[in-house]
Amino acid sequence: MRYDDAPEGASPVEHRTGLSQSMFVPLDLEVDFEAFYLGHHEVFHAYAEVHFGNRETAEEVIHEVFLEIHAGWSQLLSAGNLEQGAWAIVRRIVHNRLDAEGRGPAFVINGPIAQALDTALVTARDKLQKMESASGLYEAIADLPDRQFEVIVLRYVLGYPTAKVAWYIGIDDRTVGHHLRRAKERLRLKLGLPETPKKPKHKGVGA
């Protein structure tokens, strides 16, 4: 595979995606790996950046992520769920780096993100505003189970639509919705927020 217009010293993927030297992919890539890289590097980087709060660290971490994904590419393909395996690597490397630095995710530290959540939590805005600090919300999000945490971060912190979240994670739209509902209910209970009133059912004519 040749790209004659690529700058000297730049990999084909690096040239086409405008990546810096700190985040590159090895030459002589498998076609399917290159396609996966091009389809996922943006969301992996955004996920890392929202955790670390700066682009440079995010690039370093995601560079490490893709090197590990590439090293285990055959095993990931044979496992039958490429996206799930890749996200497990992203989570592990991101969280290991945070642990090594002795800090929590940047979106927890720097907040606030309450306004990014949908009406299931926004209905409790008044109660949140009366809190001395909304840090409990951010900490509660960080404590969610892995899959619930991912969909909350991708959907409400990074703002990806449900269909794109589903594609990135490798599940269908309905399953994303399920995880979002479970996550929001878990947050509501943990924060002691009121239950969202259910819409009354309309009675049929003549009922």
Side-chain angles (χ1 to χ4, degrees), residues 7-8 15 19 22 32 69-70 85 104 113 121 123 143 176 180 189:
E8 184 178 354
H15 169 59
L19 295 173
S22 63
D32 49 4
I69 291 174
H70 185 255
I113 61 171
L121 292 179
T123 53
D143 286 341
V176 170
L180 288 172
L189 293 173

Side-chain angles (χ1 to χ4, degrees), residues 61-77:
V61 169
I62 298 307
H63 167 59
E64 182 180 349
V65 164
F66 275 109
L67 287 179
E68 183 166 331
I69 291 174
H70 185 255
W73 186 244
S74 297
Q75 293 89 333
L76 286 168
L77 288 177

Side-chain angles (χ1 to χ4, degrees), residues 48-88:
E49 189 165 356
V50 80
H51 278 75
F52 295 104
N54 68 83
R55 181 178 182 85
E56 183 177 357
T57 303
E59 286 184 349
E60 292 175 3
V61 169
I62 298 307
H63 167 59
E64 182 180 349
V65 164
F66 275 109
L67 287 179
E68 183 166 331
I69 291 174
H70 185 255
W73 186 244
S74 297
Q75 293 89 333
L76 286 168
L77 288 177
S78 62
N81 194 327
L82 175 58
E83 287 79 8
Q84 182 176 339
W87 273 105

Side-chain angles (χ1 to χ4, degrees), residues 15-104:
H15 169 59
R16 281 185 285 163
T17 58
L19 295 173
S20 70
Q21 287 290 336
S22 63
M23 185 178 176
F24 65 90
V25 175
L27 294 173
D28 301 324
L29 300 171
E30 301 90 337
V31 173
D32 49 4
F33 174 81
E34 183 175 347
F36 180 84
Y37 175 86
L38 291 172
H40 290 76
H41 76 90
E42 177 186 345
V43 67
F44 286 176
H45 182 278
Y47 181 90
E49 189 165 356
V50 80
H51 278 75
F52 295 104
N54 68 83
R55 181 178 182 85
E56 183 177 357
T57 303
E59 286 184 349
E60 292 175 3
V61 169
I62 298 307
H63 167 59
E64 182 180 349
V65 164
F66 275 109
L67 287 179
E68 183 166 331
I69 291 174
H70 185 255
W73 186 244
S74 297
Q75 293 89 333
L76 286 168
L77 288 177
S78 62
N81 194 327
L82 175 58
E83 287 79 8
Q84 182 176 339
W87 273 105
I89 293 172
V90 174
R91 284 195 306 270
R92 173 168 49 77
I93 292 179
V94 165
H95 294 163
N96 285 350
R97 178 69 173 261
L98 289 172
D99 289 343
E101 296 180 358
R103 65 186 182 92

Side-chain angles (χ1 to χ4, degrees), residues 50 66 80 84 104 125 141 146 168 171 187 193 199 203:
V50 80
F66 275 109
Q84 182 176 339
R125 184 185 302 277
I141 292 173
D146 288 342
Y168 280 138
I171 56 181
L187 292 172
L193 300 177
K199 294 181 181 181
K203 294 183 179 180

